[in-house]
Amino acid sequence: MEVAVGETLYWLRGASWVPAERQLPVSADLVIVGAGITGASVAYWASRALSGSIWVLEERTQPAMGASGRNAGFNLAGTVTPYPELRARLGREGACAIWAYTVDNNRRIRALLEAWGADVELVCSGSLHVATTEAEWADQRRAAELLREDGFSVELLDREALARLWGFPVAERFWGALYRPEDVRWNPARVVWRLLEEALRQGVRLALEAPVWHLEPVPGAVRLYTPRGVLEAGTVVLATNAWLGRLLRLLAGQVIPVRGQVLATEPVERLFEHPVSANYGYEYWQQDREGRVILGGYRWSVPDQEVGYAVEGLRMEVQLGLERFLREAFPPLAEVAVAHRWSGIMGFTHDALPVLGPVPGMERVWVAGGYTGHGTAFAFRFGEDLVRALQEGWHPQGALRYMDVARLLVARQKTL
Ligand SMILES: Cc1cc2nc3c(=O)[nH]c(=O)nc-3n(C[C@H](O)[C@H](O)[C@H](O)COP(=O)(O)OP(=O)(O)OC[C@H]3O[C@@H](n4cnc5c(N)ncnc54)[C@H](O)[C@@H]3O)c2cc1C
């Protein structure tokens, strides 16, 4: 059952961006398509390092109206793939490089926001990763062992320690938790706005309600077709994440839209200081500055798992599952009212790693996205690395070797 009404853009309350640029130029040196955390990060780094005209084109009425302003407000290191599995798949060196990349990404963006004194509701609490079965608890302990072995800080909390931390009896379903001290929670839309504001201050131009309908490489440029006219760009960065396949047929079926549902309660007394993920990340919650518990997940409870949905919309089975979880798992929330509900679209890849780099055969077109639900752990550094590569050439080393967009296209050719 789907309902088309009732979504709240919770994090975007108070958004007041005016569509400053009505007129698009006929040409620009760099065009960034999409104004989520990726587009904002690329714009920020480009504004510092590149000369020439730089434009961000966003199809919606405000920046951060895609997944970046619709997630649950976490900034966690790591990948969706549990660390032991990542190590088994990529080897110790690969897994360690990717994990370290995300830790570094998070440290850098946090340091910048702190240096700016940015009002992004940043809370440096660390995060909890709760096991909901005995098997998951064994996996968490194994993950802790390997992460420690590779030099990452983690702690383990058993159920009693979790109960002391939360201050209420912990349901039987929770076996214990892995604690990661460096993770944070924040208002994700405000993070995007702050980065973009900085880019605009440095001369980047932002056009809202400016969808790119089609792109076409032409000699020396890329032609972008929009309802406001045709624009030729020296370089294009597609920062459209879940919608990468819409503009780039090569990536259709390689970056797959997946919808996530979220709800927020009325404000309640503080129960959770840390952002929490549980059930291998399928459920996640935090309590924000206003005291609302913001909970997402449960897409496993519907047969299609919300895979292939590129349009936001509330799915009541999932929303009701979330509500039931909240009331059953947390006694203090048994009667709480739900005040807001929303959804967001993520971009998943088959190997659960994101994509970065120039598109083979279309060297003026770059992509950054496909984060498989973990974009805040990569996007800031992706912006920096992409802009550096625009200056110095694309020579992916270390973690970037595993995230090069070229791998998806090789995989695609093999399956054709
Ligand atoms: C419910 C939910 C929970 C999540 N939880 C986490 C989490 O715990 N940790 C984490 O790291 N990540 C999480 N994520 C994922 C994270 O939000 C995304 O990975 C990240 O926001 C992606 O940022 P982005 O800028 O690449 O994409 P988006 O924020 O989706 O931005 C893409 C933008 O491109 C625009 N666009 C698309 N097509 C066009 C076009 N043709 N022309 C112009 N503009 C276009 C869209 O309007 C949009 O604004 C979650 C996401 C959701 C939905």
Side-chain angles (χ1 to χ4, degrees):
M1 186 200 331
E2 286 215 45
V3 282
V5 292
E7 274 208 277
T8 322
L9 292 182
Y10 178 68
W11 299 115
L12 282 89
R13 291 168 307 160
S16 58
W17 291 74
V18 268
E21 311 283 355
R22 298 298 335 166
Q23 187 89 33
L24 295 188
V26 289
S27 68
D29 294 295
L30 174 64
V31 173
I32 300 156
V33 185
I37 192 165
T38 305
S41 170
V42 175
Y44 167 73
W45 288 106
S47 73
R48 290 166 52 102
L50 304 180
S51 53
S53 56
I54 304 171
W55 280 73
V56 179
L57 305 191
E58 165 56 50
E59 69 179 340
R60 308 215 190 190
T61 54
Q62 303 285 326
M65 280 180 85
S68 299
R70 293 166 176 268
N71 56 46
F74 293 12
N75 180 221
L76 313 180
T79 57
V80 66
T81 310
Y83 197 65
E85 199 181 318
L86 198 66
R87 250 181 60 160
R89 177 142 58 89
L90 303 180
R92 185 172 181 183
E93 193 189 327
C96 192
I98 290 168
W99 204 273
Y101 189 92
T102 66
V103 169
D104 184 62
N105 174 86
N106 292 2
R107 281 183 191 158
R108 283 192 205 202
I109 188 163
R110 195 174 66 217
L112 191 66
L113 293 168
E114 283 174 340
W116 286 340
D119 179 16
V120 294
E121 302 169 30
L122 177 73
V123 179
C124 300
S125 53
S127 68
L128 293 170
H129 302 263
V130 175
T132 52
T133 58
E134 190 172 9
E136 190 183 3
W137 184 220
D139 287 345
Q140 293 289 36
R141 290 190 313 237
R142 177 75 182 136
E145 194 184 310
L146 296 184
L147 283 164
R148 279 198 197 113
E149 201 174 281
D150 288 350
F152 301 106
S153 314
V154 287
E155 285 170 36
L156 285 169
L157 305 178
D158 61 17
R159 188 184 285 132
E160 288 68 40
L162 204 51
R164 281 196 297 279
L165 196 69
W166 284 347
F168 56 85
V170 170
E172 288 279 300
R173 68 171 81 184
F174 299 134
W175 284 73
L178 186 87
Y179 170 66
R180 303 207 311 236
E182 286 200 57
D183 295 337
V184 308
R185 55 188 167 88
W186 61 21
N187 177 323
R190 284 176 179 266
V191 173
V192 174
W193 298 346
R194 193 63 184 82
L195 285 173
L196 261 182
E197 277 163 9
E198 206 59 30
L200 299 193
R201 229 192 302 281
Q202 303 286 335
V204 170
R205 316 281 288 273
L206 168 68
L208 297 169
E209 299 179 72
V212 174
W213 281 348
H214 177 64
L215 58 84
E216 174 190 25
V218 292
V222 181
R223 203 169 278 160
L224 300 176
Y225 294 84
T226 84
R228 296 205 223 151
V230 178
L231 156 60
E232 286 205 352
T235 303
V236 175
V237 176
L238 298 180
T240 57
N241 197 38
W243 299 281
L244 277 170
R246 221 167 50 172
L247 280 175
L248 214 53
R249 288 191 52 180
L250 282 171
L251 289 186
Q254 299 289 325
V255 178
I256 299 149
V258 175
R259 192 168 59 186
Q261 302 282 330
V262 186
L263 59 74
T265 67
E266 291 292 357
V268 291
E269 61 171 317
R270 184 144 300 277
L271 300 170
F272 306 108
E273 186 57 27
H274 312 86
V276 188
S277 93
N279 184 20
Y280 295 99
Y282 274 100
E283 273 70 66
Y284 42 88
W285 64 93
Q286 67 134 314
Q287 197 173 4
D288 76 345
R289 181 155 77 177
E290 292 182 6
R292 298 177 193 275
V293 177
I294 294 169
L295 167 70
Y298 253 68
R299 64 179 182 81
W300 56 264
S301 68
V302 285
D304 59 23
Q305 300 207 16
E306 300 236 80
V307 175
Y309 289 76
V311 178
E312 291 92 359
L314 297 179
R315 179 93 170 247
M316 279 327 279
E317 298 96 309
V318 183
Q319 286 284 339
L320 293 175
L322 284 171
E323 218 173 303
R324 207 169 43 245
F325 172 82
L326 194 72
R327 298 187 195 294
E328 288 174 7
F330 308 116
L333 298 176
E335 305 285 328
V336 73
V338 173
H340 303 283
R341 300 178 194 273
W342 67 90
S343 69
I345 315 293
M346 304 169 276
F348 279 34
T349 62
H350 295 289
D351 63 8
L353 288 172
V355 293
L356 182 70
V359 178
M362 296 174 83
E363 276 67 25
R364 290 175 180 275
V365 180
W366 292 63
V367 296
Y371 301 109
T372 316
H374 275 248
T376 65
F378 292 94
F380 188 61
R381 270 206 66 181
F382 267 21
E384 182 179 11
D385 288 338
L386 190 154
V387 168
R388 186 180 306 118
L390 289 178
Q391 295 173 294
E392 298 173 4
W394 176 243
H395 309 292
Q397 304 287 326
L400 294 183
R401 279 198 302 125
Y402 301 91
M403 302 192 269
D404 188 347
V405 65
R407 80 183 187 284
L408 295 196
L409 305 180
V410 171
R412 186 173 189 270
Q413 276 155 12
K414 280 190 186 152
T415 58
L416 288 179

